[in-house]
Amino acid sequence: MQLSKTDPQIYKLIKDEEKRQRDVLEMIPSENYTSRAVMEAMATVLTNKYSEGYPKKRYYQGNRVIDEVESLAIARAQKLFGVPYVNVQPHSGSPANLAVYVALCQPLRDKIMGLSLAFGGHLTHGQPQSATGRFFKSTLYELGEDGRLDFDAIEKQAIREKPKIIVCGFTAYPRTVNFRQFAQIADKVGAYLLADISHITGLIVAGAHPSPVPYVHIITTTTHKTLRGPRGAMIMVTARGLKKDPDLGKKIDSAVIPGLQGGPHDNQTAAIAVALKEAAAPAFVTYGKQIVKNAKTLASSLLDFGFDLVSGGTDNHLILIDLRNKGVNGSIAAIALEVANIVVNKNGVPFDTQPPFYPSGIRLGTPAITTRGMKEPQMKKVAGWINRVIEEVKKEKMPTEKEARNEFMKDFKSRVYKNKNHLKIATEVKSLTARFPVP
Ligand SMILES: *Cc1c(COP(=O)(O)O)cnc(C)c1O
């Protein structure tokens, strides 16, 4: 180990984070534990190379080996998803989405239509705070009163707004996405249909969520969420996409480079290839299905404790709890749960009466704890702990949003950090996580 000698400070911090990830229940639905093999591929000499361009069409010499690495990653993705075209170079999910818009939209003229962030869409689906909403026109759709996609409203909006691209695929939507219905709307208005499957890629590969491939034109995905690879992203074009626009693949390639990026991260490309091989193995099907079984068990246990779940439950890997009926704020709940070694994130709920900084809900998911081998009995335990934490937090007077932004919060937090109930649960959690090793 060189690092421990040359930079003991960073080495120690990495070790501390390793311990934190081992001790806690990591329940942020966009996170996961990659395999050792993926990490090995990341930490290699491939990080030294410059490879601007694409296999066999590079601007730099010395890419004989890199060409093979990238071609292998592409071939594995094509096979796994059943698509004719793949770009594995986007540095992460946000640049992948931007590349699609750069490929297809005229700045300040063409319109992107995505789900509003407040309802579970991603920043890069045309939010005004994001470059995707500043450089392009956008129109944002919302969910229905029941917390589900309202296809009648989406269709009306698409007809009225005439978007160039409709984006489906979300960051905080606990239900199955009906890609066929989106396709009918996109076809009606002549829009490109982009499925951003970042959150559910692993479920799709495992057959635990329907695939968008027969219906959409373009797919973007991160590689580090349920797919369990390194941080990174891919853009795929389906046969349907090439039929609509035979140049779609070429347009996307040039949007990635020279449009947005210079050199690809070749170590990341190799690690993506490794993750794709792992995802093609039969064990991954079991994994993906278990993620959903775990989420459903967790959801029904939470319902038994009187929690209000957005849309009433889950079909996938994630659960959105609306905490208003418990009189607890989402930010406060997330802080208290972390003290108890349960790591989730605060999240807005549909039609939230609170601002995004201080929202009414929390979002939690099962991908990472399922990677550790946890199953239904553990989910019931987790629900019990969450309930005990929330029941304890309920006794506190909730800070107002203004208080949550100022000094008051320090006192409040220090009280939460010392709470005996939370700390006792933290110990119980640690004794459970100790039995489920990280890869
Ligand atoms: C996570 C996510 C992204 C962005 O990925 P980054 O790698 O964080 O840039 C984009 N879209 C969706 C739907 C996501 O869930």
Side-chain angles (χ1 to χ4, degrees):
M1 276 284 178
Q2 275 301 304
L3 188 62
S4 60
K5 294 192 197 90
T6 61
D7 195 337
Q9 265 178 306
I10 284 292
Y11 178 78
K12 179 177 179 302
L13 291 172
I14 293 172
K15 287 290 150 186
D16 287 351
E17 173 61 9
E18 204 175 292
K19 179 174 175 346
R20 189 196 66 81
Q21 291 189 13
R22 208 168 48 229
D23 286 349
V24 304
L25 285 162
E26 199 62 79
M27 298 190 71
I28 293 172
S30 48
E31 294 186 4
N32 213 331
Y33 300 98
T34 64
S35 67
R36 279 273 142 195
V38 164
M39 290 214 215
E40 271 176 35
M42 281 298 279
T44 58
V45 294
L46 302 193
T47 197
N48 297 337
K49 190 68 196 109
Y50 244 109
S51 318
E52 284 184 11
Y54 290 99
K56 304 255 161 69
K57 290 170 284 190
R58 305 283 187 186
Y59 294 90
Y60 290 76
Q61 294 311 117
N63 275 304
R64 183 177 56 80
V65 178
I66 299 300
D67 279 0
E68 286 193 45
V69 170
E70 187 170 335
S71 300
L72 197 52
I74 291 169
R76 285 179 181 173
Q78 284 170 325
K79 182 147 185 264
L80 189 62
F81 291 90
V83 291
Y85 160 93
V86 182
N87 186 311
V88 294
Q89 293 195 8
H91 294 154
S92 209
S94 301
N97 284 341
L98 187 56
V100 174
Y101 309 146
V102 166
L104 297 177
C105 296
Q106 285 298 320
L108 304 178
R109 204 185 73 195
D110 289 330
K111 202 177 272 178
I112 299 157
M113 177 167 158
L115 181 65
S116 156
L117 181 73
F119 286 80
H122 192 262
L123 272 171
T124 57
H125 295 176
Q127 278 295 125
Q129 306 91 320
S130 151
T132 62
R134 291 170 55 200
F135 299 170
F136 305 98
K137 285 189 178 168
S138 70
T139 177
L140 303 171
Y141 55 97
E142 300 185 346
L143 298 178
E145 296 283 347
D146 56 357
R148 295 185 188 234
L149 293 162
D150 176 350
F151 285 101
D152 288 339
I154 294 169
E155 179 170 335
K156 282 200 191 101
Q157 191 170 342
I159 290 170
R160 191 177 66 236
E161 300 284 342
K162 300 185 188 61
K164 185 80 181 271
I165 302 180
I166 297 177
V167 188
C168 56
F170 315 107
T171 68
Y173 187 65
R175 293 299 179 177
T176 301
V177 182
N178 189 330
F179 296 113
R180 184 202 294 265
Q181 271 184 291
F182 271 109
Q184 283 164 354
I185 295 170
D187 287 349
K188 202 170 212 173
V189 300
Y192 287 95
L193 183 58
L194 164 64
D196 176 353
I197 58 171
S198 292
H199 261 261
I200 54 172
T201 313
L203 306 186
I204 289 167
V205 167
H209 187 290
S211 169
V213 171
Y215 306 109
V216 309
H217 303 115
I218 309 152
I219 297 169
T220 53
T221 179
T222 51
T223 47
H224 48 275
K225 296 178 184 173
T226 47
L227 190 62
R228 222 159 52 173
R231 304 200 85 78
M234 303 190 290
I235 306 173
M236 303 183 257
V237 176
T238 63
R240 202 165 180 273
L242 289 182
K243 202 167 149 213
K244 179 175 170 70
D245 181 351
D247 289 331
L248 202 43
K250 273 181 232 144
K251 286 181 187 169
I252 284 170
D253 279 349
S254 24
V256 173
I257 172 176
L260 287 168
Q261 296 187 175
H265 299 174
D266 297 320
N267 56 327
Q268 185 177 351
T269 305
I272 289 173
V274 173
L276 288 166
K277 184 173 181 195
E278 290 174 359
F284 199 86
V285 173
T286 318
Y287 168 61
K289 297 203 159 138
Q290 190 64 45
I291 292 176
V292 176
K293 281 190 214 161
N294 283 351
K296 282 181 184 285
T297 304
L298 182 60
S300 75
S301 305
L302 289 168
L303 287 170
D304 289 344
F305 285 117
F307 282 101
D308 180 9
L309 308 188
V310 170
S311 83
T314 183
D315 299 327
N316 58 23
H317 63 301
L318 76 82
I319 294 166
L320 208 58
I321 309 182
D322 184 340
L323 287 165
R324 284 177 293 191
N325 71 336
K326 301 275 184 186
V328 174
N329 181 272
S331 318
I332 304 298
I335 293 167
L337 285 164
E338 186 177 2
V339 177
N341 276 343
I342 301 170
V343 182
V344 306
N345 64 270
K346 63 178 172 188
N347 213 99
V349 297
F351 308 103
D352 207 330
T353 39
Q354 294 282 347
F357 173 76
Y358 200 56
S360 299
I362 51 173
R363 186 184 71 148
L364 56 162
T366 53
I369 56 178
T370 306
T371 292
R372 299 182 76 157
M374 293 187 195
K375 295 208 165 77
E376 289 88 335
Q378 286 77 46
M379 298 307 116
K380 290 179 187 161
K381 265 194 159 151
V382 173
W385 283 323
I386 292 173
N387 184 54
R388 275 165 60 194
V389 170
I390 300 302
E391 286 302 308
E392 181 72 12
V393 185
K394 247 165 81 172
K395 297 176 190 162
E396 294 276 353
K397 186 176 173 301
M398 280 302 112
T400 62
E401 191 212 344
K402 191 151 163 267
E403 286 168 342
R405 284 180 187 275
N406 67 27
E407 283 298 298
F408 173 89
M409 214 39 196
K410 257 199 203 143
D411 278 2
F412 187 87
K413 276 190 188 167
S414 69
R415 229 176 24 253
V416 174
Y417 293 151
K418 281 183 283 201
N419 183 292
K420 288 214 176 63
N421 174 72
H422 303 335
L423 292 171
K424 179 160 181 292
I425 295 173
T427 319
E428 293 172 27
V429 168
K430 252 166 87 172
S431 69
L432 177 78
T433 52
R435 288 177 22 229
F436 293 89
V438 298

